[in-house]
Amino acid sequence: MLKIYNSLTRQKEEFRPLEPRRVRMYVCGMTVYDYCHLGHARVMVVFDMVARYLRHLGLKVTYVRNVTDIDDKIIRRAVENGETIGALTARFIEAMHEDERALGVLPPDHEPRATESIDDILAMIGTLIERGHAYVGSNGDVFYAVASFPNYGRLSGKNLDELRAGERIEVDEAKRDPLDFVLWKSAKPGEPFWASPWGPGRPGWHIECSAMSTRCLGAHFDIHGGGMDLQFPHHENEIAQSEGATGEHFVNYWMHNGFVRINEEKMSKSLGNFFTVREILARYRPEVVRFFILNSHYRSPLNYSDENLDEAAAALSRLYTALRGLAPDLPLPLGEGRDEGFSSRFADAMQDDFNTPEAIAVLFDLAREINRHKAAEPAKAAALGATLKSLGNVLGLLQTDPEAYFKSDAGGSGLSDADIEARIQARIEARKAKNWAESDRIRDELKAQGIILEDSAAGTTWRRE
RNA sequence: GGCUGAGUGGCAGAGUGGUUAUGCUGCGGAUUGCAAAUCCGUCUAUGCCGGUUCGAUUCCGACCUCAGCCUCCA
């Protein structure tokens, strides 16, 4: 039985989908005014892993992840860049998709955009006003009346009095209550707008997720995910909006992933201490980044550093090394186990709130077992290799051909494969003549350029570091 | 200040009331022309102080430290 840590109850709970064999999941995606950084990558990879695992369990998953393509920052950035909002968001949506593909993130089933959901948003705001959960403020903006929703604060463990006591809350004169938040912002001159019963304007941030999730998945669905920082106020507000509008329970399981940190500090755009995915991919293989993310638990902090990425690269190489040079997997004689408990250990780890670090530890045990049998029992090694690859697939890892993986450029060497092969040929000649000095010189020379040579009985192979 | 969460060996990072996490690294050995890779063996730990218990890193309490949210943020 799969257990998921539910942020709403702060404990692990057995996962029971609303409909048998079917899961509906919504994740808050990007606001597209800049490139994805590693924090965004973590959300994408973590929930991709969740979707993959649920599917692996045989569940039919409908995975929705939205794109926020209208908000203050987007408007500001477009003005700064002197481009249209549409051009800006199109550019960064495409960049996001490129990053995703690189990281082995499968596309969500639906990727709704705020600007394409205005009708749903207007309808929901209308319903909220009818039901007494929203009102038009003195400045023409529409606000959600937080006090009208009794459960407000439950997800984030806050109560209204404490929130009101916070001195940092800016009091907007147009609001009845400082805690109220905007559903519809009336347009200022020069700003983009849509027509609405409350005048021209644009949606507030929180309402779009309520509108889009309800449209794509219904009023009540299984899993809602996102980064920790969205728990309050974004997800709290979503609950208030959706439950206020539909009268139904909104979400059964709330999942929040931990932050990426740099030097013990949250990586964020506002702090300016972020690395974009493409900056990192210029120096590391994409799969290394994915491995790095999954090698710590999704709720734990993830500390970014070059050392940690290097370590992830070394670890992933070990797994690929085990897969390297295996015979094709052939059916084993009856009674000869190809698995020996690895799959069930892997499953146990994943069933426990997606414990990918522990699941990956099983992969390493499997790799050792493969290496042990590689020479003497190639058929057994190949069978174990097939198991390793199939477990890796659940995590979106290890699906590249090992040779291709090792020869792929991790972002450095200017040497072409042909250059390398030529140097290796020269070295083979030297070795035939037992000219070890020349042989070692060539090897060192290649090493200096990030090419590792490995001699074995079968010949010399090479890989990029 | 309020509310969350966390403190594990040289580093990263899991689990567990009594038994090897795992990876990288160090050390010894096998293998290799030498390496690399691989295999075998091996050293380093559970923030601090109490309590519960036959026994706690694991449960409880205090303390210290760190991070996050309370304001846009994945």
Side-chain angles (χ1 to χ4, degrees), chain A residues 52 66 117 196 203 213 232-233 243 273 276 290 305 372 379:
Chain A
R52 282 174 187 257
N66 75 297
S117 310
S196 87
S213 61
F232 187 90
E243 300 195 352
N273 61 348
T276 64
R290 186 177 175 99
S305 71
R372 231 177 235 155

Side-chain angles (χ1 to χ4, degrees), chain A residues 14-77:
Chain A
E14 288 193 353
F15 178 65
R16 297 177 193 284
L18 282 161
E19 286 177 52
R21 317 314 298 162
R22 176 156 184 231
V23 179
R24 287 170 290 166
M25 175 164 86
Y26 184 93
V27 171
C28 291
M30 281 259 305
T31 301
V32 284
Y33 66 97
D34 208 339
Y35 293 111
C36 295
H37 66 227
L38 193 55
H40 300 114
R42 190 175 195 193
V43 177
M44 298 193 291
V45 168
V46 161
F47 288 100
D48 178 61
M49 173 277 292
V50 169
R52 282 174 187 257
Y53 186 66
L54 294 171
R55 290 189 175 118
H56 170 75
L57 293 178
L59 298 158
K60 167 96 176 73
V61 177
T62 306
Y63 174 22
V64 179
R65 195 191 56 212
N66 75 297
V67 172
T68 298
D69 60 352
I70 181 69
D71 93 320
D72 292 350
K73 285 177 183 159
I74 290 173
I75 295 169
R76 195 184 321 133
R77 183 64 59 90

Side-chain angles (χ1 to χ4, degrees), chain A residues 14 48 106 112 134 150 162 170 176-177 203 336 397 410 417 424:
Chain A
E14 288 193 353
D48 178 61
L106 302 172
E162 282 166 359
E170 186 182 321
R176 292 178 191 165
D177 184 323
E336 194 160 344
L397 297 172
D417 290 13
I424 289 174

Side-chain angles (χ1 to χ4, degrees), chain A residues 147-163:
Chain A
S148 73
F149 188 73
N151 278 337
Y152 194 83
R154 191 169 153 226
L155 175 66
S156 51
K158 304 188 183 302
N159 70 58
L160 297 186
D161 291 338
E162 282 166 359
L163 285 169

